[in-house]
């Protein structure tokens, strides 16, 4: 909100929740606006987590994209393009993580701004062989869905057996952080027991990012 680049605020917001898995969008690597920092490397090193980065958008000589961090070993990782035509590049990370309770398939994505684009992206994701190869495991689909009208929960995801964790949307408003109106950051689960889900509203999270963090506590079914 204050237009200052302070990566330490993101780190503080993460550490305050002590998560096992972290999914971040619009993470910079070697971009001028963020002092040419390699943010995936810096975050992974500070948190001592395994890192999986997906570069989606070029910015000068650098890139930004999706970053998954986890304290547990990574069994497999895939990067899937969800770009539709000439629209802004989008993508999904498909990562199988070896948690203490067993393997979990985490799908981390950042969808487009148009409703038809998002519908196409979800259909492409769910139909893709890479998704289906990991979908034998309990699966979480998480990220910034840009789904203001909450239309995705009743379509292909529901048909594939996914339950929307972030429901009702009025309880999960995360954007913009300083006056949250939209439930854009969502989670869908299959084969996963959800203990609790919440949006973190603190003085730190309101200024650290333009989105409030979504936290989901879960166990494998």
């Amino acid at each position: 909100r204050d237009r200052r680049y302070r990566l330490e605020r993101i780190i503080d917001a993460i550490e305050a929740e002590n998560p096992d898995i972290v999914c971040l969008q619009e993470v910079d690597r070697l971009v001028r606006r963020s002092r040419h920092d390699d943010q995936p490397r810096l975050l992974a090193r500070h948190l001592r987590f395994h890192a999986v980065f997906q570069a989606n958008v070029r910015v000068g000589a650098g890139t930004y994209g999706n970053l998954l961090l986890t304290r547990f070993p990574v069994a497999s990782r895939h990067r899937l393009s969800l770009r539709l035509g000439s629209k802004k590049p989008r993508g999904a990370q498909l990562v199988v993580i070896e948690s203490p309770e067993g393997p979990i398939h985490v799908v981390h994505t950042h969808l487009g701004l148009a409703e038809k684009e998002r519908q196409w992206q979800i259909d492409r994701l769910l139909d893709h062989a890479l998704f289906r190869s990991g979908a034998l495991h309990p699966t979480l689909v998480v990220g910034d869905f840009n789904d203001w009208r909450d239309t995705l929960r009743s379509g292909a995801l529901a048909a594939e057996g996914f339950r929307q964790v972030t429901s009702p949307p009025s309880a999960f408003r995360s954007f913009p952080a300083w006056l949250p109106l939209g439930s854009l950051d969502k989670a869908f689960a299959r084969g996963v027991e959800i203990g609790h889900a919440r949006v973190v509203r603190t003085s730190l999270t309101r200024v650290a990012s333009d989105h409030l963090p979504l936290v989901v506590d879960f166990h494998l079914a």
Side-chain angles (χ1 to χ4, degrees), residues 94-108:
L94 295 80
V95 182
V96 175
I97 297 169
E98 295 288 357
S99 83
E101 296 183 0
I104 180 170
H105 185 212
V106 178
V107 180
H108 172 215

Side-chain angles (χ1 to χ4, degrees), residues 150 152-154 162-169 183 186-189:
D150 204 45
L152 293 175
R153 65 173 173 168
S154 59
F162 284 93
R163 177 174 67 90
Q164 184 169 341
V165 176
T166 48
S167 184
S183 175
K186 300 180 186 294
F188 296 84

Side-chain angles (χ1 to χ4, degrees), residues 16-28:
E17 299 303 322
N18 192 31
D20 296 314
I21 302 168
V22 184
C23 295
L24 302 171
Q25 302 87 44
E26 297 187 354
V27 177
D28 282 356

Side-chain angles (χ1 to χ4, degrees), residues 110-127:
H110 187 179
L111 300 185
L113 298 177
E115 186 166 336
K116 288 185 178 180
E117 178 187 11
R118 293 191 294 271
Q119 295 286 354
W120 177 87
Q121 289 167 333
I122 289 295
D123 289 343
R124 171 170 166 74
L125 171 65
L126 297 179
D127 289 341

